[in-house]
């Protein structure tokens, strides 16, 4: 007897997942860290006192504080972005065996969905702030730049970064559907 499974679209191979991960979810997991990379690179010259075209006085912090802060913030940003791979990998469903005491245990879906959603909510708030300041909504003003090229570059770099929140919610929704909905019945 030939049984076929209802296939909602192309599936990617993801190691260790209970159900196949849709190709779009796999691609999105790769896109999220790439969206954060430009803003992380944008921050690095600022750590060394280069203003990146901003027409404001530099930081009053010493380089001994600014450099670790900016590098730490960039590493933290990319680290959070990479954590969203857990939504399309087996380690987002079962604790890896190498973890003492908890290794091999199934992770309840909401133990992943709730913190991921809180993170996505924070980044969505950054999107709202970006829209308000970039477009001067309600009299809010953005940073002044020495010329339009710097301002355009800053807008694009930060605009890519603030897409994170909504894209994270899409990724979380895909995880929820895959983990919490019953499997599609087999057709005969």
């Amino acid at each position: 007897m030939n049984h076929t499974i209802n296939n909602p679209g192309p599936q990617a191979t993801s190691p260790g997942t209970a159900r196949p991960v849709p190709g779009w979810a796999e691609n999105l997991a790769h896109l999220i860290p790439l969206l954060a990379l430009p803003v992380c690179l944008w921050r690095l010259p600022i750590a060394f006192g280069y203003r990146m075209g901003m027409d404001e006085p530099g930081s009053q912090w010493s380089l001994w504080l600014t450099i670790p802060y900016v590098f730490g913030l960039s590493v933290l940003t990319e680290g959070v972005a990479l954590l969203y791979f857990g939504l399309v990998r087996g380690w987002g469903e079962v604790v890896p065996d190498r973890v003492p005491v908890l290794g091999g245990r199934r992770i309840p879906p909401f133990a992943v969905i709730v913190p991921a959603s809180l993170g996505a909510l924070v980044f969505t708030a950054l999107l709202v702030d970006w829209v308000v300041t970039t477009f001067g909504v309600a009299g809010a003003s953005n940073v002044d730049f020495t010329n339009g090229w710097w301002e355009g570059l800053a807008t694009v770099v930060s605009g890519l970064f603030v897409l994170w929140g909504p894209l994270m919610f899409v990724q979380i929704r895909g995880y929820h559907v895959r983990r919490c909905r019953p499997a599609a019945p087999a057709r005969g």
Side-chain angles (χ1 to χ4, degrees):
M1 188 185 291
N2 184 10
H3 291 284
T4 57
I5 296 175
N6 184 8
N7 188 354
Q11 304 294 308
T13 57
S14 284
T17 58
R19 293 189 194 165
V21 174
W24 64 265
E26 182 70 29
N27 292 336
L28 192 56
H30 288 275
L31 178 65
I32 289 173
L34 293 176
L35 290 175
L37 191 58
V39 79
C40 291
L41 294 175
W42 171 267
R43 288 183 196 131
L44 296 180
I46 296 170
F48 295 98
Y50 187 70
R51 301 302 307 149
M52 300 296 286
M54 291 182 277
D55 196 18
E56 292 183 352
S59 170
Q60 301 305 318
W61 292 6
S62 74
L63 287 181
W64 291 104
L65 292 173
T66 306
I67 293 170
Y69 171 75
V70 170
F71 275 87
L73 185 59
S74 294
V75 168
L76 179 66
T77 300
E78 282 298 322
V80 168
L82 293 172
L83 280 176
Y84 277 81
F85 270 103
L87 298 173
V88 296
R89 296 287 187 270
W91 53 269
E93 297 178 11
V94 176
V95 179
D97 290 331
R98 64 184 171 273
V99 175
V101 181
L102 298 175
R105 292 189 183 177
R106 184 180 175 278
I107 300 171
F110 285 98
V112 173
I113 292 169
V114 170
S117 295
L118 291 174
L121 192 60
V122 167
F123 284 101
T124 301
L126 290 175
L127 170 64
V128 171
D129 178 66
W130 179 83
V131 168
V132 166
T133 57
T134 300
F135 298 106
V137 176
S141 65
N142 204 353
V143 175
D144 290 325
F145 287 89
T146 55
N147 63 49
W149 290 103
W150 280 115
E151 184 173 8
L153 181 59
T155 300
V156 168
V157 164
S158 58
L160 289 172
F161 180 66
V162 298
L163 290 175
W164 256 32
L167 293 176
M168 288 173 170
F169 276 123
V170 170
Q171 189 78 326
I172 294 164
R173 176 71 178 142
Y175 178 86
H176 178 267
V177 167
R178 206 169 36 79
R179 293 283 318 273
C180 298
R181 293 230 174 124
R187 291 189 285 176

